[in-house]
Amino acid sequence: MKNKLTNDFKKIILHFQKEEITDHIVYTNLAKRLKDSKNKEILTKIANDEKEHYEIWKGYTNTDVSPNKLKIFWYSLISYLFGFTFVIKIMEKNEYKTKYSLSDLLNTFPEVQQIMDQEDDHENKLIDMLDEERLEYIGSIVLGLNDALVELTGTIAGVTFAFSNNRLIALSGIITGISATLSMAASNYLAQKAENNPKAFTSSLYTGIAYLLTVVFLVLPYLLLPDNMYYFALLIMIIIVILIILVFNYYVSVTKSLPFKKQFREMLVISLGVALISFLIGIAAKNFLGIDV
């Protein structure tokens, strides 16, 4: 069978080889960084399986294949930013696609069934091992992020027309944002404490950090642009809001296996809806009160 390998099949298998050796290195690197011995052991086993798959395909092609260095760098980077769970989930999706690609070769290469069985085993083990600390506090992060997006987007949009000056708008956003950050973190701490949560402080910390970071991103356009470019600053802030909602909801949908589009639409409509209403209120208030800042 190996002597009858066609050019088309060889091209496909070389692609699989590259994927397997790349995944082997990624899993190995992730395992080295983990402190939990159980998770480290599972990832090391999966990394070894990926190397075994590479050797199986190499038996057909008699060719060594270099890993995808860009992919290794990218997965390494996002693992630092979003955690190892996010990377593993992304790789799991890729393995799922690969598995169905491999099914097309099942009749030609008997080893394909062994690889497919191991890929299924990987998925089950990966799901069982996902116990990253930050995922325990997704609810707290959602609380801080969502409240900041709704409240600060509305506040800043409302005062944009009322003040018509980027420095005044930024000052208002900073004061409101910092006050709200402390208030939200304290409220979450008291709520978690009332429920006898031993990690109440950590939970409130995640809420506060999520809120404060959102404040920084939303106020930034007003600090960087000239005072009279408040409409342009508002437009940039809206774009930032959309990007934050997009990235965060994608992260949650991947790590928690939740539907992305529904969550994204819901959060987007609420945040931008409040911003629009607040902006109109700002216009009405300025005209009604006759204020000219």
Side-chain angles (χ1 to χ4, degrees), residues 148-219:
L149 285 172
V150 173
E151 183 175 344
L152 261 296
T153 302
T155 299
I156 294 174
V159 299
T160 291
F161 190 83
F163 289 168
S164 303
N165 182 293
N166 277 346
R167 290 297 176 274
L168 291 177
I169 297 166
L171 179 62
S172 177
I174 291 170
I175 293 173
T176 303
I178 293 176
S179 299
T181 296
L182 297 174
S183 174
M184 180 57 62
S187 297
N188 186 44
Y189 173 78
L190 293 173
Q192 296 293 328
K193 202 70 176 176
E195 296 178 1
N196 297 318
N197 183 356
K199 298 181 179 179
F201 177 76
T202 305
S203 177
S204 65
L205 194 61
Y206 272 94
T207 297
I209 290 173
Y211 201 112
L212 187 60
L213 287 176
T214 306
V215 171
V216 171
F217 283 116
L218 297 189
V219 171

Side-chain angles (χ1 to χ4, degrees), residues 42-56:
I42 292 173
L43 274 181
T44 302
K45 171 65 169 60
I46 295 172
N48 292 337
D49 286 345
E50 301 294 354
K51 183 65 181 298
E52 181 182 335
H53 300 165
Y54 171 82
E55 295 297 339
I56 291 174

Side-chain angles (χ1 to χ4, degrees), residues 26-197:
V26 172
Y27 280 122
T28 300
N29 291 343
L30 287 175
K32 289 178 180 177
R33 284 170 42 197
L34 295 182
K35 296 179 180 179
D36 184 271
S37 58
K38 181 181 178 182
N39 290 345
K40 184 188 291 288
E41 182 180 347
I42 292 173
L43 274 181
T44 302
K45 171 65 169 60
I46 295 172
N48 292 337
D49 286 345
E50 301 294 354
K51 183 65 181 298
E52 181 182 335
H53 300 165
Y54 171 82
E55 295 297 339
I56 291 174
W57 292 129
K58 181 182 174 182
Y60 284 100
T61 62
N62 293 315
T63 305
D64 281 310
V65 177
S66 300
N68 186 331
K69 294 182 179 179
L70 181 60
K71 192 174 180 180
I72 293 171
F73 171 77
W74 173 245
Y75 279 149
S76 178
L77 176 63
I78 62 176
S79 70
Y80 281 106
L81 295 175
F82 299 108
F84 71 87
T85 300
F86 181 79
V87 171
I88 290 172
K89 284 283 190 174
I90 292 291
M91 293 178 69
E92 179 190 334
K93 286 187 176 182
N94 290 337
E95 285 185 349
Y96 182 82
K97 293 177 182 178
T98 300
K99 183 175 68 176
Y100 282 92
S101 299
L102 290 175
S103 64
D104 298 332
L105 304 176
L106 186 58
N107 295 329
T108 307
F109 304 103
E111 286 88 349
V112 168
Q113 187 61 58
Q114 175 189 345
I115 295 176
M116 289 176 66
D117 291 341
Q118 286 184 337
E119 296 294 1
D120 285 333
D121 189 41
H122 289 183
E123 292 174 8
N124 294 329
K125 286 182 177 178
L126 287 172
I127 292 172
D128 291 340
M129 69 167 284
L130 300 181
D131 56 356
E132 191 172 6
E133 183 189 54
R134 72 181 71 184
L135 295 182
E136 297 178 24
Y137 301 101
I138 283 291
S140 300
I141 296 172
V142 170
L143 179 64
L145 186 70
N146 190 59
D147 195 80
L149 285 172
V150 173
E151 183 175 344
L152 261 296
T153 302
T155 299
I156 294 174
V159 299
T160 291
F161 190 83
F163 289 168
S164 303
N165 182 293
N166 277 346
R167 290 297 176 274
L168 291 177
I169 297 166
L171 179 62
S172 177
I174 291 170
I175 293 173
T176 303
I178 293 176
S179 299
T181 296
L182 297 174
S183 174
M184 180 57 62
S187 297
N188 186 44
Y189 173 78
L190 293 173
Q192 296 293 328
K193 202 70 176 176
E195 296 178 1
N196 297 318
N197 183 356

